[in-house]
Amino acid sequence: MEILEYLRSFRILDYAIFDLIVSFWGVYLLSPTLTKLFLKIWLEIKRKNWMFLVLPIGIIFHLIFENITPMTRDFLDINDFYLLKILLLALLFLGLKDIKRKK
């Protein structure tokens, strides 16, 4: 575990760069499979949309599983971190904007 702790020690503000890179990289690699799965329920979601939705989906899953990370904590703070909230809402909007319903 020392390697993982070392990799997570590099941070931008309070957020581990390693976690962000792995999240985006993982979704980038999984997006073709996710797109095929969502096509079965008639939703066309492009790779670009998946990339925009990485952080908003991450926040949702961290809330569901009650794993409060620094970004989740900051997002829930009602008195501060307005730039983070605006960024996450903008990413959510951009991610949902081009999703198409297929017939």
Side-chain angles (χ1 to χ4, degrees):
M1 283 297 190
E2 291 178 19
I3 294 171
L4 190 57
E5 290 173 12
Y6 174 73
L7 291 172
R8 284 184 165 167
S9 68
F10 300 100
R11 298 182 174 271
I12 295 176
L13 301 175
D14 201 18
Y15 314 127
I17 297 170
F18 176 75
D19 292 343
L20 292 170
I21 290 171
V22 169
S23 299
F24 281 100
W25 187 56
V27 170
Y28 181 82
L29 294 175
L30 286 174
S31 62
T33 305
L34 292 170
T35 298
K36 287 178 187 174
L37 286 172
F38 275 82
L39 277 173
K40 292 180 189 248
I41 59 170
W42 302 292
L43 289 176
E44 181 184 5
I45 306 173
K46 297 177 184 174
R47 178 176 275 166
K48 173 185 73 167
N49 297 88
W50 285 116
M51 298 308 292
F52 284 132
L53 291 171
V54 170
L55 293 178
I57 289 172
I59 295 287
I60 292 167
F61 273 89
H62 283 103
L63 289 172
I64 290 170
F65 294 108
E66 298 177 0
N67 182 10
I68 304 301
T69 62
M71 188 176 292
T72 307
R73 179 196 66 222
D74 294 347
F75 182 74
L76 294 175
D77 184 359
I78 59 171
N79 297 317
D80 206 0
F81 303 103
Y82 299 114
L83 190 58
L84 175 67
K85 291 173 179 67
I86 291 168
L87 173 69
L88 288 170
L89 290 174
L91 288 172
L92 181 64
F93 172 75
L94 290 170
L96 295 175
K97 186 175 79 163
D98 292 331
I99 294 177
K100 295 182 176 117
R101 186 102 170 128
K102 288 286 190 176
K103 290 187 179 182

